[in-house]
Amino acid sequence: MLFTDYSFILFVAVVLLLYYIVPRKMQWPLLLVASYYFYYCDDWRYLIFITVTSVATWSCALIMDKIGGKGDAYLKAHKADMSKEERKAYKAQVKHKKNMVLLLSLLITIGILAVTKYTNFVINNINNFLKAGNGIRAMDIIVPTAISFYTFQAASYLIDVSRGTIKAEKNFFKMALFVSFFPQLVQGPISRFGDLSQTLYSEHKFELNGFGRGLIRIFWGYFKKLVIADRIMIAIKPMITMTDKYYGTYVFIAMLFYALELYCDFTGGIDITIGISECMGIKLKENFILPYFSKNVKEYWNRWHITMGTWFTDYIFYPLSVSPKMLKLSKWSRAHLGEKIGKRVTVYLSCFLVWLATGVWHGAAWNFVVWGLANYVVIMVSQELEPLYAKFHNKFHLKNTKGYAVFEICRTIFIMSCIRLFDCYRNVPLTFKMIASMFTKANLKVYTDGSLMQLGLTSADYTVLFIGFLIVLGVGIYKAQTKKDIRTELMKNVPLFCFVCVILIVSIVVLGAYGVGFDSTQFIYNQF
Amino acid sequence: MKKAKKIIIITAFVLLTFVLLWLAQRLVMPKYQKGIIEGSMIEEYYRDEAPHEVLFIGDCELYENVSTVELYEKYGISSYIRGSAQQLTWQSYFLLEDTLRYETPKVVVFNVLALKYNEPQSESYNRMSIDGMRWSSAKWENIKASMTEEESMADYLFPILRYHSRWSELKADDFKYMFKKDLVTTNGYYMRVDVKSEMDFPPAPALTDYTLGDNSMSYLKKMADLCEAKGIKLVLVKAPILYPYWYEEWDEQIVAFAQERGIDYINYIPLRDEIGLDMTQDTYDGGLHLNLAGAEKFADYMGAYLVEAADLTDYRQDAKVNALWEEKIEFYNNLRDAQLKELQEYGELRSWGMNAIED
């Protein structure tokens, strides 16, 4: 069931209605049933995977909690009998036990993800490496929708419990809901148990304001997805598939179009997710904060898919950076390469591994690996060029000018869009070739000779896209300049709020690129 | 703001949303007033006030080949053709069910060519046959039986979901006929006065299996059962058209079915001479459909059978019904004259037919 299916809209309407009809203590169990039904609609076999992940997560977390609890109790009871060293040794023993359970649980949860998603990728690469045409046969493995999202969510919970940041959830069904909560199941945001549990299991009374806020966010999400993203996709498709015909300037156009599509698609999906949750009184973390207003790639990644970024930072980058082996390497590199270079080695190595993992998480293909590493290279190069930038700014004093800010924003958009082309073309060499053609085979006539009209969009479509883009941009600028939440402002004026809702609904229904004649696609991030 | 006031404002805007969407739906739905007019035919039935003792249900082999006005003028038969392009057997069945909600004709004439289709065929033909129906269980079941894989019930429940993309191709006619459309047929009969002689059709290709499909035959049986239950005489016909082919093997199955059920079945193909059809003059598209001259001849011939086979009222004697028919005849004659005038002026019809340009 896709967010854009009529059946999904009906499903959400029924769930919302039941949510406020059933006794309040039955609200979260209702959500669990709804979430499993939602997943069942995709493929009943997916339920097996998500249930195994939930059971492993729940039981291992309880075991870790129990080990920790017992350890604390033992230390408390023997406070007087134990020396400091004995206590330290005992704590290490407890930690080791917890780590063993954590390892086991991660092997199960991430193991499922790895096997389902990456087995055939590995097989293909082995075959390519051995140049064996009929080598190992690819396996017919089911890849459950959104497995990357719920696995990461489960993993974060397990690590948090092992660290003692949160207590393990005793109720299995509550845990199962945390893993499967339907609005965020398919494309995030990747929630933390500590955040989501505060409102997910609470009893919620119907509140007109909260419901209205949620509703308008849903409409806004559908507007971005159906009116902009799915419409512009029509033009992108030929440009990225018929590469013999569409190169040079077309690559540049495809790049910009894809930047807009991905933004509207992904943020649209997240708006729908957060909106549905808000309608139920459940708070989810924001996943985007005006990413296209970032002045550099590092900042961009602090604003784009935030919950994924923080996940990698909290659960891979930091643990890796402070791991004994990294500390040892840091010591060695400082001694042998000097303080200046040596201190960078571990940071850069950790970053490298994080970006490699980020790329692999996005998809089982070399395109994503290269995409991840390209981000890494840009961030590292930017960091290394910092002193040069500083010198430049000392000399020219442009840093705080509006013009330079606009330049920085455009530069970031260009770099990110360029890197994102690895997501579009079918393999890495082709992507490099197409990027090169953008600079070597530019044909500016494309803009004026009617070629853009041959991409499947009419002038009316381009008009809608342009107006839609201006609206999205306008909302972004308003948000960036006033630092105000536009929905809060709208809620202050009920007729205006209603009017905006009406405009959004009518625009979505009439101008949306859906139904017969349109290739209704799933949200891009569903595949991860 | 007080809660009550807030609720009133919200309710008003909810209503406004529905009104706007309804208006948008009226606007973007195809009007079928020029060019492909078949999409208007089904809904026209509900506007007709005259009683109908003979109901024709089927595809273009009925609505283009039988002149309802000729039936009236010559025999006083008040009839209606509920047909649309490539109307499938189950669509005809559900249209019969739908018609029975309003009246019970004495005779139902079904053209058997549609039996060759055992499965849903085309979304666009489905829409032309179904969109015009009023909502009832018959329409609901018709949609369920007719939907192709790409279709969904929601698109029928809320046609704006299907037609919304027409916003960029709206023409003056879409505004003009937003709330009320002109009639495009005379009691379901689609008139063409131009002439294009019957062509030589290639020999009929052999089929691997000549058995008429279970699904379509089951609806034929249901049709027979329904007519029997309602005391209606069901007549099966095959219009005197050679192409698309009507295989002998198919004919034999219909003959057997008709005999088994005690139903009249008339295959008019072998009776073309008896009808008086001159296919160099009586067809407008190379023999696929009859033109006005052919449709009147065919109606003449069929009318004689109908008055013989059923106890039909001569409505010419009924002042009230006759007055209604006088209007239809006037419409029919005006339409004929307009087409003839255009034919004389340009040598072809430009305002009628598939290639007619919409305003």
Side-chain angles (χ1 to χ4, degrees), chain A residues 6 208-209 231 460-461 464 494-495 498-499 502 505-506 509-516 518, chain B residues 1 6-7 9-10 13 16-17 20-21 24 123 150 152 154-155 160-162 164-165 167-168:
Chain A
Y6 302 142
L208 201 55
N209 278 0
R231 173 169 273 106
D461 286 316
V464 169
V494 178
C498 291
F499 178 73
V502 172
I505 293 170
V506 175
V509 173
V510 177
L511 304 177
Y514 65 90
V516 178
F518 288 101
Chain B
M1 191 180 280
K6 228 183 222 180
I7 289 171
I9 292 172
I10 291 168
F13 273 100
L16 176 69
T17 308
L20 285 175
L21 288 176
E123 193 256 354
E150 62 176 347
S152 78
D155 286 343
I160 191 170
L161 300 177
R162 167 63 184 87
H164 66 98
S165 57
W167 69 267
S168 59

Side-chain angles (χ1 to χ4, degrees), chain A residues 5 9 31 48 64 72 104 168 188 215 243 254 256 282 287 307 313 319 338 351 382 410 423 448 510 524:
Chain A
D5 286 348
I9 294 162
L31 288 183
I48 300 169
M64 283 190 285
D72 289 346
L104 174 72
L215 218 50
T243 49
L256 295 184
I282 297 165
N287 217 19
T307 55
T313 307
C351 271
S382 312
C410 292
D423 194 7
T448 52
V510 177
I524 294 170

